[in-house]
Amino acid sequence: MADTGVRVTITNTSGAELGSFEGNEFQSFAQMAAKHGIEIPTSCCAGACFVCCARIIQWHDAIQIDKLSIPLVDVENNPDGSPREVLSCIGGIKPECFKDGKFHHIVLQKML
Protein backbone atom coordinates (compact mmCIF):
# COMPACT_ATOMS: atom_id res chain seq x y z
CA MET A 1 0.00 0.00 0.00
CA ALA A 2 1.28 3.45 -0.90
CA ASP A 3 2.32 6.00 1.73
CA THR A 4 0.69 8.86 -0.21
CA GLY A 5 -2.35 9.28 -2.43
CA VAL A 6 -6.02 8.45 -2.22
CA ARG A 7 -7.61 5.01 -2.36
CA VAL A 8 -11.38 4.61 -2.64
CA THR A 9 -13.18 1.42 -1.61
CA ILE A 10 -16.85 0.84 -2.46
CA THR A 11 -18.95 -1.63 -0.44
CA ASN A 12 -22.45 -2.93 -0.97
CA THR A 13 -25.38 -2.39 1.40
CA SER A 14 -24.16 -5.29 3.56
CA GLY A 15 -20.63 -3.89 3.82
CA ALA A 16 -18.96 -6.43 1.50
CA GLU A 17 -16.24 -4.87 -0.67
CA LEU A 18 -17.19 -4.45 -4.33
CA GLY A 19 -13.88 -2.96 -5.41
CA SER A 20 -11.13 -0.48 -4.71
CA PHE A 21 -9.25 2.00 -6.88
CA GLU A 22 -6.92 5.00 -6.86
CA GLY A 23 -8.82 8.26 -6.55
CA ASN A 24 -9.01 10.88 -9.29
CA GLU A 25 -8.96 14.57 -8.42
CA PHE A 26 -11.30 15.64 -11.22
CA GLN A 27 -14.14 13.08 -11.19
CA SER A 28 -17.11 12.25 -8.99
CA PHE A 29 -17.19 9.02 -7.01
CA ALA A 30 -19.78 7.58 -9.43
CA GLN A 31 -17.57 8.40 -12.44
CA MET A 32 -14.48 6.88 -10.81
CA ALA A 33 -16.38 3.74 -9.76
CA ALA A 34 -17.85 3.25 -13.26
CA LYS A 35 -14.39 3.56 -14.79
CA HIS A 36 -13.32 0.64 -12.59
CA GLY A 37 -16.38 -1.54 -13.28
CA ILE A 38 -18.24 -0.77 -10.05
CA GLU A 39 -21.84 0.30 -10.53
CA ILE A 40 -23.25 3.02 -8.34
CA PRO A 41 -26.86 3.71 -9.35
CA THR A 42 -27.42 7.21 -10.74
CA SER A 43 -30.39 8.95 -12.25
CA CYS A 44 -30.19 12.72 -12.44
CA CYS A 45 -26.38 13.12 -12.16
CA ALA A 46 -27.07 16.56 -10.69
CA GLY A 47 -27.40 15.87 -6.97
CA ALA A 48 -31.19 16.11 -6.93
CA CYS A 49 -32.66 12.61 -6.79
CA PHE A 50 -30.71 10.85 -3.96
CA VAL A 51 -30.42 7.59 -5.97
CA CYS A 52 -26.61 7.67 -5.84
CA CYS A 53 -26.34 8.48 -2.13
CA ALA A 54 -23.57 6.59 -0.31
CA ARG A 55 -22.79 6.39 3.38
CA ILE A 56 -19.29 7.57 4.27
CA ILE A 57 -17.70 4.82 6.33
CA GLN A 58 -14.15 6.15 6.47
CA TRP A 59 -12.26 9.42 5.94
CA HIS A 60 -14.98 12.08 6.07
CA ASP A 61 -12.41 14.90 5.97
CA ALA A 62 -11.23 13.94 2.47
CA ILE A 63 -14.67 14.20 0.85
CA GLN A 64 -16.00 17.23 -0.98
CA ILE A 65 -19.79 16.87 -1.24
CA ASP A 66 -20.04 19.61 -3.89
CA LYS A 67 -17.16 18.57 -6.16
CA LEU A 68 -19.09 18.88 -9.45
CA SER A 69 -22.11 20.94 -8.35
CA ILE A 70 -24.09 21.99 -5.29
CA PRO A 71 -26.31 19.23 -3.86
CA LEU A 72 -30.00 19.97 -4.41
CA VAL A 73 -31.10 17.62 -1.60
CA ASP A 74 -29.81 17.47 1.95
CA VAL A 75 -27.53 14.68 3.11
CA GLU A 76 -26.97 13.66 6.72
CA ASN A 77 -24.08 15.07 8.73
CA ASN A 78 -22.25 13.68 11.74
CA PRO A 79 -22.55 15.51 15.09
CA ASP A 80 -19.22 17.28 14.35
CA GLY A 81 -20.64 18.69 11.09
CA SER A 82 -18.67 16.40 8.76
CA PRO A 83 -20.74 14.67 6.07
CA ARG A 84 -22.19 11.25 6.90
CA GLU A 85 -23.45 10.75 3.34
CA VAL A 86 -22.41 11.90 -0.12
CA LEU A 87 -24.27 12.08 -3.41
CA SER A 88 -21.74 10.11 -5.42
CA CYS A 89 -22.79 11.66 -8.75
CA ILE A 90 -21.48 15.09 -7.68
CA GLY A 91 -19.26 14.35 -4.66
CA GLY A 92 -15.58 13.63 -4.92
CA ILE A 93 -12.21 13.97 -3.26
CA LYS A 94 -10.90 17.28 -1.92
CA PRO A 95 -8.00 18.54 -4.09
CA GLU A 96 -5.69 19.03 -1.11
CA CYS A 97 -5.73 15.26 -0.46
CA PHE A 98 -3.66 14.78 -3.61
CA LYS A 99 -1.05 17.33 -2.52
CA ASP A 100 -0.64 16.86 1.24
CA GLY A 101 1.80 13.93 1.03
CA LYS A 102 -0.46 11.70 3.13
CA PHE A 103 -2.34 8.49 2.38
CA HIS A 104 -6.14 8.70 2.49
CA HIS A 105 -8.39 5.64 2.30
CA ILE A 106 -12.00 6.57 1.64
CA VAL A 107 -14.65 3.89 2.16
CA LEU A 108 -18.15 4.44 0.77
CA GLN A 109 -21.13 2.14 1.25
CA LYS A 110 -23.77 2.09 -1.48
CA MET A 111 -27.25 2.63 -0.09
CA LEU A 112 -29.06 1.00 -3.05
Side-chain angles (χ1 to χ4, degrees):
M1 188 175 298
D3 294 316
T4 63
V6 182
R7 185 119 196 112
V8 179
T9 299
I10 307 293
T11 68
N12 66 15
T13 56
S14 301
E17 185 175 321
L18 297 173
S20 187
F21 48 86
E22 289 299 313
N24 178 306
E25 183 176 357
F26 304 104
Q27 293 182 313
S28 72
F29 289 115
Q31 290 168 331
M32 288 183 272
K35 182 178 175 183
H36 292 90
I38 303 167
E39 182 185 358
I40 295 178
T42 59
S43 181
C44 71
C45 294
C49 70
F50 211 73
V51 169
C52 67
C53 190
R55 181 162 286 115
I56 302 167
I57 304 300
Q58 184 172 307
W59 218 282
H60 302 60
D61 295 341
I63 295 175
Q64 182 176 345
I65 64 168
D66 57 353
K67 182 76 174 184
L68 299 185
S69 71
I70 296 170
L72 300 174
V73 295
D74 291 331
V75 293
E76 288 187 31
N77 287 326
N78 291 308
D80 67 1
S82 63
R84 179 178 298 174
E85 299 171 338
V86 63
L87 301 172
S88 62
C89 71
I90 61 168
I93 303 165
K94 290 181 179 177
E96 55 267 25
C97 294
F98 294 93
K99 299 169 182 73
D100 64 8
K102 298 177 184 175
F103 177 74
H104 304 275
H105 184 193
I106 296 169
V107 179
L108 300 177
Q109 182 180 34
K110 292 178 15 172
M111 294 176 75
L112 290 179

